[in-house]
Amino acid sequence: MPAVWHALAVVLPRSAVAEASRSLLALGATGLMEDVPTGTALRFKQPWDTGRKPRPPATVMLRAWFRHRPEPKALAMALPGREVAWTEEPEQDWNEGWKVHFQPIHVSDRLVIAAPWHGVPNAVVIEPGNAFGTGEHRTTRSCLAEIDRLATPGGSCLDVGCGSGILALAAAHLGMRAYGMDIDEDAVEAARIAAAANGLLATFDARPIAEVEGSWDLVVANLYAEVIAALAVDLRRLARGHLVFAGILSDRAHLVEAAMSGLEQVHRDDGEGWTSLTYRVPA
Ligand SMILES: C[S@@+](CC[C@H](N)C(=O)[O-])C[C@H]1O[C@@H](n2cnc3c(N)ncnc32)[C@H](O)[C@@H]1O
């Protein structure tokens, strides 16, 4: 019979969590997690928020995992007066289980993104977990669709904030000369490894955008609206065909629209709170 975990959940005031955690560990819990009580809206501080940090909720859902349920009396002493809920969870092979969620992304017949274990012929292969950009996120997928629509073999593509390199590699796969840059050195390294693994000619480095030269047929940037607006002068300077933006929270799209004023907006995609915008830049 497969092994089972006994999972306990208890709602507590935040001030009682440390003591309860110690007691549950003493009763044999092998793992603990602080969660948000059901029905509580959590708000994280966003990069553009000024002022005070949002307060964490006053109550916490503490979860604990046991191989064997503790004696009810011992549990009642550990969590006096608290109502606990138990569920049973089957053992999972986490190293393998998470892979199930990654499915190949079929952008078009000529552009498919897949993980190494999918074994999809002629796909751009991205190893999940090395940097942002597996194609799972809506913002990445909308950029991939625009790259597929706008790529011209022999043209050039600049990927600003390349993460895993997925967008530059997609452009290279479609015959473009591709260059990606990122402020995160680890992402640049992951992108270089992915380029080599795919046998694609794309270059990556951590140069700041102000130092990037030339003009590019396609400039893609999956970045927050605030970052796109801050980099707008360089983004406009470097583009001579199309500018593709994603990563824009829909209620911030006006920031990008203001920063790109005067350029023709040729595509807009809204969904799940995200907006993607494409502009045509006169050559
Ligand atoms: C949302 S990820 C996008 C990754 C990938 N291009 C994709 O579409 O999935 C944003 C990336 O931009 C990088 N980034 C943020 N600000 C940047 C900046 N000012 N210049 C260059 N890269 C930046 C981050 O390090 C991160 O890797």
Side-chain angles (χ1 to χ4, degrees), residues 223-236 245 248 252-260:
L223 299 165
Y224 278 133
E226 288 71 9
V227 182
I228 295 169
L231 303 182
V233 171
D234 284 311
L235 290 164
R236 294 179 70 142
F245 300 126
I248 303 163
R252 308 264 149 183
H254 61 95
L255 297 178
V256 177
E257 291 183 311
M260 295 299 139

Side-chain angles (χ1 to χ4, degrees), residues 48 55 69 107 142 147 162 203-204 213 217 236 280:
W48 52 86
R55 281 192 177 196
R69 284 194 195 194
V107 184
S142 67
I147 291 170
C162 62
T203 50
F204 296 96
E213 291 176 348
D217 298 308
R236 294 179 70 142
R280 198 193 325 266

Side-chain angles (χ1 to χ4, degrees), residues 14 50 63 156 179 181 220 283:
R14 185 167 292 280
T50 52
R63 298 184 188 277
S156 57
Y179 165 52
M181 33 81 63
V220 289

Side-chain angles (χ1 to χ4, degrees), residues 36-97:
V36 183
T38 316
T40 309
L42 236 203
R43 205 178 103 60
F44 295 100
K45 188 169 163 65
Q46 303 292 342
W48 52 86
D49 284 342
T50 52
R52 297 167 64 162
K53 251 176 130 172
R55 281 192 177 196
T59 52
V60 170
M61 166 102 70
L62 183 64
R63 298 184 188 277
W65 284 266
F66 293 85
R67 261 305 177 216
H68 305 285
R69 284 194 195 194
E71 289 296 320
K73 262 193 188 162
L75 186 62
M77 281 172 68
L79 300 173
R82 308 277 177 215
E83 204 175 307
V84 303
W86 286 102
T87 48
E88 290 192 354
E89 297 178 2
E91 181 86 274
Q92 287 192 36
D93 181 346
W94 291 105
N95 280 337
E96 290 302 312

Side-chain angles (χ1 to χ4, degrees), residues 131-135 137 139-141 143 159-168 181-184 187 207-209 220-224 227 231 246-247:
F132 187 104
T134 56
H137 202 268
T139 60
T140 309
R141 285 202 312 269
C143 289
D159 177 5
V160 181
C162 62
S164 66
I166 185 168
L167 303 181
M181 33 81 63
D182 202 293
I183 48 173
D184 178 350
R207 200 180 319 184
I209 192 169
V220 289
N222 182 3
L223 299 165
Y224 278 133
V227 182
L231 303 182

